[in-house]
């Protein structure tokens, strides 16, 4: 199992500060970029799609039709949307690409809390590009190709998340987390430790799979979980490069040993052992290890994750059951996504969250800075994450309904304190 343990408001702010700093210093973005971005943070939401060429942000319904759109930070009305895309137009390539584990050349799907904070950054850069144009942007204007903004933006992400950034203290992101982890990282609670211990006692084998590099993963686990993770989990996979871990041919995705957090020699699947920390690899090989570990030909695997693209959409390729961690369930009560009985009220309607987690939220975060962890999940621009104004499902809701085994707002009891 693996899930985010970051404090969302603080991490969003840090991501935006790091990206804006690099874009200003290395690419000549306006000095006011960060202030402009913070003025449009209501645009941040998972499940939004960017039309790279036209500089538009799109919210889609379950059938991939465009519900709402912005050009830069400016909302487009229905007439402008129809003029740009045609009445009732759909973005048909997105769902197949997500389920195949590949990125679209034309559209970018913001699927997690590390890439969605850049929506207002990109929006502000689009506004700036339009301001430099000889005439205002129009829905039928084709002279500006906004894909030119993606190279510096990707460069800013690479600078922030560079593999050597944790060791060398470069890029801003890792150095800040190391210097002040309590501001950005949640501690796993005693209740969560007891829950995981009970799973082990019942004969379940626990594992961690993350795309983070080894040094950062060790730091994060040591601080958040405690050093016992080295023995509590049957195996830990780092730099897994999801979703390729599930989608790409096993022959192109070998496992690697680690030496001082650096990938060294290739590791055969037959040499995977309990207690190891390994890098990269593939789902087929890990399933083979699980089969040996459990003494079963095809053991069931449940994977907890919060990335729609990397942890949900293509896990069927590895025959894993994705448990989607959607913090949005803390602020919405959808009836159109799968949730366990724990999240159903006595009258059959969906609750915001499990009773215990909700009590913990009310008791332990009311009036504190951590309240923002949940209020920031509500967007006044895009409105519901799960539903449309008409009551129909959003693109993300259908994806979760058809690909996730179930959805929860957090790992059971992770948010709960001893009561």
């Amino acid at each position: 199992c693996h899930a985010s343990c970051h404090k969302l408001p603080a991490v969003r702010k840090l991501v935006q500060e790091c990206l804006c700093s690099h874009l200003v210093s290395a690419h000549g973005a306006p000095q006011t970029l960060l202030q402009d971005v913070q003025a449009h943070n209501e645009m941040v939401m998972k499940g939004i799609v960017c039309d790279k060429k036209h500089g538009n942000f799109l919210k889609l319904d379950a059938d991939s039709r465009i519900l709402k759109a912005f050009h830069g930070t400016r909302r487009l009305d229905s007439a402008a949307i129809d003029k740009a895309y045609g009445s009732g137009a759909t973005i048909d390539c997105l769902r197949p690409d997500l389920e195949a584990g590949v990125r679209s050349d034309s559209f970018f799907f913001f699927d997690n809390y590390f890439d969605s904070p850049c929506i207002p950054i990109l929006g502000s850069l689009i506004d700036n590009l339009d301001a430099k144009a000889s005439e205002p942007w129009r829905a039928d204007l084709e002279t500006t190709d906004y894909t030119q903004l993606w190279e510096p933006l990707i460069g800013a992400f690479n600078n922030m998340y560079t593999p050597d950034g944790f060791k060398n203290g470069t890029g801003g992101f890792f150095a800040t987390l190391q210097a002040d982890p309590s501001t950005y990282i949640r501690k796993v609670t005693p209740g969560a430790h007891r829950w995981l211990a009970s799973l082990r006692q019942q004969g379940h084998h626990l594992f961690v799979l993350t795309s983070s590099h080894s040094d950062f993963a060790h730091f994060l686990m040591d601080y958040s979980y405690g050093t016992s993770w080295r023995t509590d989990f049957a195996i830990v996979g780092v730099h897994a490069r999801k979703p390729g871990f599930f989608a790409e041919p096993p022959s192109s995705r070998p496992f690697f040993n680690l030496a001082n957090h650096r990938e060294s020699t290739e590791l055969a699947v037959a040499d995977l052992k309990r207690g190891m920390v390994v890098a990269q690899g593939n789902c087929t090989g890990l399933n083979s290890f699980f089969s040996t570990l459990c003494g079963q030909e095809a053991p069931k695997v449940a994977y907890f994750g919060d990335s729609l693209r990397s942890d949900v959409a293509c896990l069927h390729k590895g025959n894993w059951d994705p448990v989607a961690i959607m913090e949005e369930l803390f602020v919405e009560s959808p009836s159109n996504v799968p949730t366990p009985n724990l999240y159903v009220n006595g009258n059959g309607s969906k609750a915001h969250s499990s009773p215990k987690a909700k009590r913990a939220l009310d008791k332990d975060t009311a009036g504190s800075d951590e309240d923002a962890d949940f209020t920031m999940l509500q967007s006044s621009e895009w409105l519901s994450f799960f539903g449309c104004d008409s009551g129909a499902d959003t693109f993300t809701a259908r994806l979760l309904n058809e690909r996730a085994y179930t959805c929860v707002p957090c790992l059971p009891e992770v948010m709960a304190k001893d009561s």
Side-chain angles (χ1 to χ4, degrees), residues 311-332:
D311 301 332
V312 176
C314 66
L315 266 67
H316 60 284
K317 290 181 172 291
N319 293 318
W320 289 15
D321 291 328
V323 179
I325 299 176
M326 296 289 114
E327 284 92 340
E328 290 79 6
L329 288 167
F330 276 121
V331 294
E332 294 191 51

Side-chain angles (χ1 to χ4, degrees), residues 378-394:
Q378 296 175 296
S379 167
S380 61
E381 296 289 7
W382 301 110
L383 302 180
S384 173
F385 177 77
F386 298 102
C388 309
D389 296 347
S390 65
D393 294 357
T394 59

Side-chain angles (χ1 to χ4, degrees), residues 213-264:
H213 284 270
S214 175
D215 48 6
F216 180 56
H218 277 72
F219 165 79
L220 195 61
M221 291 291 288
D222 283 345
Y223 181 83
S224 179
Y225 187 91
T227 56
S228 65
W229 65 266
R230 291 166 172 80
T231 54
D232 286 353
F233 296 98
I235 196 166
V236 174
V238 301
H239 192 206
R241 296 165 57 210
K242 300 175 295 177
F245 184 89
F246 305 101
E248 295 177 11
S251 59
S252 68
R253 299 296 302 262
F255 291 88
F256 287 91
N257 285 299
L258 289 159
N260 296 320
H261 298 302
R262 294 296 174 259
E263 294 162 19
S264 56

